[in-house]
Amino acid sequence: MFQEFQQPGYAHVLINHVPIIGTLMGLIGLLVGLFFKTRTALIPALVILFVAGISIWPVYETGEAAYKPIRKIAGDPGSDWLDEHMDRADRAAWTFWVMASLSAAAVAAPVRWPRTAVPLALATAAAAVICVGAGAWIAQPGGLVRHTEFRIPDATPPGDHESTHTHEH
């Protein structure tokens, strides 16, 4: 059983939903806290958003480590989708770090400057919405790597990955 956890592909599939689902859950809590105008409700939501944001790091690292072994078994269209998935992660994962930073600031700054609570919570909420979109954008081609039933017939990933893909894994 524990052998699976040592396979980066397995670990990636196990944890890859944490940034997206965590961000959605934190966003819901944050909106509730903003609606009721209570800092007591904002803090747990901001902590959830912080954890969801920093969780992009192990998700990205396990994905990078799994790239070569998965590419070997993915087949032609699967390999193209894997390249697209990795390219999107390279281009958008930073948004989760921004959200994590904003959520940390939204917890800490109002202790010293109470008037920053709502603006920072709103900025964090905006970042969370962006992260949900970015996470879905990253995940979409990832699901198409092995789930052929999700592929639209004759659909191919955008771009020419043969000449532009530079991952050294």
Side-chain angles (χ1 to χ4, degrees):
M1 175 181 164
F2 293 108
Q3 291 173 326
E4 289 90 2
F5 292 107
Q6 294 177 350
Q7 296 175 7
Y10 182 81
H12 182 70
V13 169
L14 190 64
I15 65 173
N16 69 7
H17 294 90
V18 173
I20 300 170
I21 302 299
T23 299
L24 279 170
M25 299 307 293
L27 179 59
I28 291 167
L30 191 61
L31 294 175
V32 168
L34 285 166
F35 178 79
F36 287 111
K37 298 177 183 173
T38 171
R39 181 135 168 89
T40 308
L42 289 177
I43 293 174
L46 290 165
V47 170
I48 290 168
L49 288 169
F50 177 77
V51 171
I54 64 171
S55 73
I56 200 68
W57 175 66
V59 170
Y60 186 87
E61 290 297 321
T62 56
E64 248 189 352
Y67 177 79
K68 269 187 172 178
I70 297 302
R71 198 162 200 297
K72 287 179 185 176
I73 62 169
D76 285 339
S79 293
D80 292 340
W81 286 114
L82 182 63
D83 291 344
E84 180 65 19
H85 176 57
M86 192 65 147
D87 287 343
R88 289 182 183 190
D90 287 342
R91 290 172 35 202
W94 63 270
T95 60
F96 286 89
W97 289 108
V98 170
M99 181 185 69
S101 299
L102 282 169
S103 63
V107 169
V111 173
R112 176 83 165 99
W113 302 283
R115 290 185 180 188
T116 64
V118 172
L120 284 171
L122 289 171
T124 305
V129 169
I130 291 168
C131 285
V132 169
W137 183 68
I138 294 167
Q140 186 267 338
L144 298 175
V145 173
R146 298 294 287 168
H147 290 284
T148 58
E149 69 275 16
F150 296 148
R151 294 182 193 159
I152 297 169
D154 300 323
T156 58
D160 176 14
H161 296 288
E162 293 300 318
S163 61
T164 62
H165 196 69
T166 59
H167 293 289
E168 299 294 326
H169 304 280

